Amino acid sequence: MSSDALIADQTDHPGEPVAVTAAGAIPWRAGKDGLEVLLIHRPRYDDWSWPKGKIDAGETVPECAVREVWEEIGLRAPLGIPLPPIHYHVASGLKVVHYWAVKVNGDSLVPDGKEVDSVMWCAPDKAARLLSNPSDVAPLESLRDAHERGELDTWPLLVLRHAKAKPRSSWSKAEGERPLAATGSRQAQAVGRLLQAWKPMRIVSSPWLRCVATVAPYARATGAKVKLAEGLTEHKHQRTPKKTAAVIESLVDKQRPVVVCTHRPALPTVLKQLATHMPSHLVQLLPAHEPFLSPGELVVCHLANSGKKRVVAVEQFKPFDD
């Protein structure tokens, strides 16, 4: 039996501290034979599972998932909808593994040969029978259910609050020129790494310096196109919040992956507009109280690729705080 074999039940473990945090993904594709998922074989344990691994120091959980998928099967792909995490016991205590769906668009897969010696595409029913860890079935069932509802194939719209800026009290020049604090500059670098988990190639930002500086490391690293929208500034939002909402609605209409960088005072309007595209149980996942998001924090809204402008999943993350 491998060291990470399931020895506990699959219910939550209230009050028990997590000893090991890991992340991974279920790669999927939809072809003429229907939905297929990718299993990996690990020679060290002689088992079938999903690509996953332990979180590294200085890493967020989404970053860990993307890295592990790349290292184990040679796939660079953005994360799709979140899937239920699983909990089980290992020698050091309780382990949690966070999972996402990852769409494979004809990409060639290259198992690393050491940790993964082979891969197998198969239907979900067959995968459920082959999985060595029974708890790995739960995220698979969630993925299959999302596919049946038309909510598996998605695109992300990310709402980002700019990183920490210099205090207003210490800034006497134009408000739009107030820069990031030293802490904010470090946050911007961390934001740049976190955004690569979804890798939107479009950025729509308030033209004020602290927003532009927050997305700059990501734009430089990826070549993502940056568009400045006056409707996302504090002043424009204060005068005409409808224009702020209109910026968000236009991005929903375009149905292309995008990150929106704006200011704390504009967040209630931005989130309220997005809430019009989601069911009540997802609205409840949106931040609802001041300050809504901390500096550098983001909300990920996954919208179905059905053309119906429908949010099907919501997540919230902070960049790694050093």
Side-chain angles (χ1 to χ4, degrees):
M1 181 177 291
S2 69
S3 62
D4 62 351
L6 182 69
I7 59 172
D9 62 37
Q10 297 169 53
T11 61
D12 289 337
H13 303 266
E16 184 174 353
V18 173
V20 180
T21 299
I26 301 182
W28 68 273
R29 67 185 183 186
K32 60 180 181 180
D33 296 324
L35 177 66
E36 291 184 319
V37 294
L38 185 84
L39 288 170
I40 65 167
H41 182 263
R42 302 185 298 174
R44 179 182 178 186
Y45 304 117
D46 188 22
D47 69 355
W48 289 97
S49 64
W50 310 119
K52 67 177 185 295
K54 296 176 185 177
I55 195 167
D56 282 348
E59 209 174 36
T60 61
V61 177
E63 290 171 73
C64 174
V66 171
R67 175 182 54 77
E68 287 291 339
V69 169
W70 164 246
E71 290 179 354
E72 293 196 341
I73 62 173
L75 174 66
R76 290 197 186 278
L79 300 180
I81 60 170
L83 301 171
I86 65 171
H87 300 78
Y88 53 95
H89 284 98
V90 295
S92 56
L94 184 65
K95 180 175 181 177
V96 58
V97 186
H98 300 270
Y99 281 110
W100 284 265
V102 167
K103 185 178 183 180
V104 179
N105 286 312
D107 308 81
S108 59
L109 305 179
V110 185
D112 73 348
K114 183 179 179 181
E115 293 190 27
V116 178
D117 61 355
S118 63
V119 300
M120 178 192 302
W121 283 106
C122 59
D125 288 347
K126 182 176 180 180
R129 294 193 298 270
L130 290 174
L131 284 166
S132 301
N133 186 337
S135 63
D136 277 338
V137 176
L140 171 63
E141 291 178 341
S142 179
L143 183 147
R144 179 174 53 191
D145 291 346
H147 177 67
E148 292 175 353
R149 296 192 305 268
E151 297 179 356
L152 179 57
D153 193 5
T154 59
W155 63 273
L157 190 157
L158 301 95
V159 177
L160 169 68
R161 179 183 172 185
H162 67 73
K164 185 174 179 59
K166 285 191 174 182
R168 295 178 194 266
S169 59
S170 66
W171 187 253
S172 58
K173 299 179 182 179
E175 180 63 15
E177 297 175 7
R178 184 156 59 96
L180 295 180
T183 299
S185 295
R186 293 193 298 272
Q187 283 179 340
Q189 295 293 332
V191 166
R193 295 189 294 271
L194 176 57
L195 287 175
Q196 294 198 41
W198 301 276
K199 207 167 185 178
M201 295 309 292
R202 297 177 68 236
I203 301 168
V204 178
S205 173
S206 159
W208 288 11
L209 179 58
R210 52 192 181 272
C211 284
V212 175
T214 297
V215 297
Y218 174 73
R220 285 194 298 266
T222 63
K225 294 182 178 180
V226 181
K227 178 181 178 181
L228 303 180
E230 195 69 28
L232 294 175
T233 64
E234 287 188 30
H235 287 173
K236 183 64 71 173
H237 174 262
Q238 185 177 20
R239 291 195 296 267
T240 320
K242 286 184 178 180
K243 290 190 176 180
T244 306
V247 172
I248 302 304
E249 191 61 26
S250 69
L251 297 177
V252 173
D253 287 339
K254 287 183 173 64
Q255 300 186 51
R256 293 164 58 192
V258 63
V259 56
V260 178
C261 187
T262 189
H263 308 262
R264 178 193 55 77
L267 288 173
T269 296
V270 170
L271 297 173
K272 182 178 179 181
Q273 187 62 35
L274 287 169
T276 65
H277 296 285
M278 61 182 75
S280 58
H281 72 278
L282 292 182
V283 173
Q284 294 174 8
L285 298 180
L286 293 174
H289 305 287
E290 288 281 359
F292 297 94
L293 295 173
S294 59
E297 192 171 14
L298 57 84
V299 166
V300 187
C301 294
H302 298 269
L303 288 95
N305 267 324
S306 61
K308 295 182 180 180
K309 300 192 293 185
R310 183 165 47 104
V311 176
V312 298
V314 172
E315 304 178 272
Q316 186 173 337
F317 297 102
K318 293 181 180 180
F320 179 77
D321 186 359
D322 59 357

